[in-house]
Amino acid sequence: MSFEEEWAGLKAEAATRMQLNGAPTRDPDASPTGADLVVHDDELGKIGHFAYRLHSNLKADGKHARTTSKAAGTSLTSDGFEMGKALTSASTAWAKQVGALVDACAHISNHLDYTKASKKKDDEWVATQVSASKISDYYDVPDESSRPSVPGPQGPVM
């Protein structure tokens, strides 16, 4: 069985087993190159760069009102206003939400970098395996019995 036949069989089996929420399977011949997985580095790069910029800006800009809001909340609480506790609580909740969003942006950016590096390693490994299997088809190693005997050296060896 050739690699292409085996690969086509595995793809067909995967298509019948793995349906995301009943979504139709994608025709592998729909891409211009006939590939069944197409990732453009420039598109991923744009998304990763945007996520990194959003992370950097949000990390700095998300803290603008934190100090003054916390100070106002503390001052209002010490003056006996219930609104002070609410303002302090809102400031704390805001800081947690900004932190979660900053972490999510960092996760997106880091994941795209990891995915790109991981796919490159996987592709290199597959290319090595496929080329090694093709090479082995072209050479024939003779049995021990059919190998010609090589005479040993005669005379002094220097």
Side-chain angles (χ1 to χ4, degrees):
M1 175 182 289
S2 75
F3 173 78
E4 288 79 16
E5 292 170 341
E6 185 177 357
W7 182 245
L10 290 171
K11 286 192 312 186
E13 182 182 336
T16 58
R17 286 184 167 186
M18 300 169 67
Q19 293 282 323
L20 287 176
N21 297 327
T25 57
R26 202 175 141 233
D27 181 13
D29 296 327
S31 89
T33 61
D36 56 348
L37 174 63
V38 178
V39 177
H40 301 285
D41 286 342
D42 56 341
E43 292 171 359
L44 291 179
K46 287 177 186 176
I47 294 169
H49 181 66
F50 183 75
Y52 177 75
R53 280 187 25 223
L54 183 60
H55 171 269
S56 300
N57 293 339
L58 191 57
K59 193 172 185 179
D61 296 341
K63 297 178 182 178
H64 280 310
R66 184 173 186 200
T67 306
T68 54
S69 297
K70 204 167 191 177
T74 303
S75 176
L76 287 170
T77 301
S78 66
D79 290 339
F81 290 100
E82 289 293 319
M83 185 176 177
K85 291 179 185 175
L87 188 56
T88 303
S89 176
S91 175
T92 303
W94 174 261
K96 286 181 183 177
Q97 293 299 318
V98 167
L101 191 53
V102 166
D103 289 346
C105 291
H107 181 73
I108 290 167
S109 181
N110 292 340
H111 183 68
L112 288 173
D113 289 342
Y114 170 79
T115 300
K116 184 178 172 183
S118 174
K119 292 307 291 173
K120 184 178 178 187
K121 266 198 266 184
D122 289 347
D123 288 345
E124 289 170 354
W125 183 84
V126 168
T128 303
Q129 296 303 312
V130 169
S131 63
S133 67
K134 291 283 185 191
I135 290 170
S136 66
D137 292 342
Y138 294 104
Y139 66 85
D140 185 27
V141 179
D143 296 353
E144 288 286 327
S145 60
S146 64
R147 264 195 234 172
S149 64
V150 178
Q154 297 177 0
V157 178
M158 295 189 175

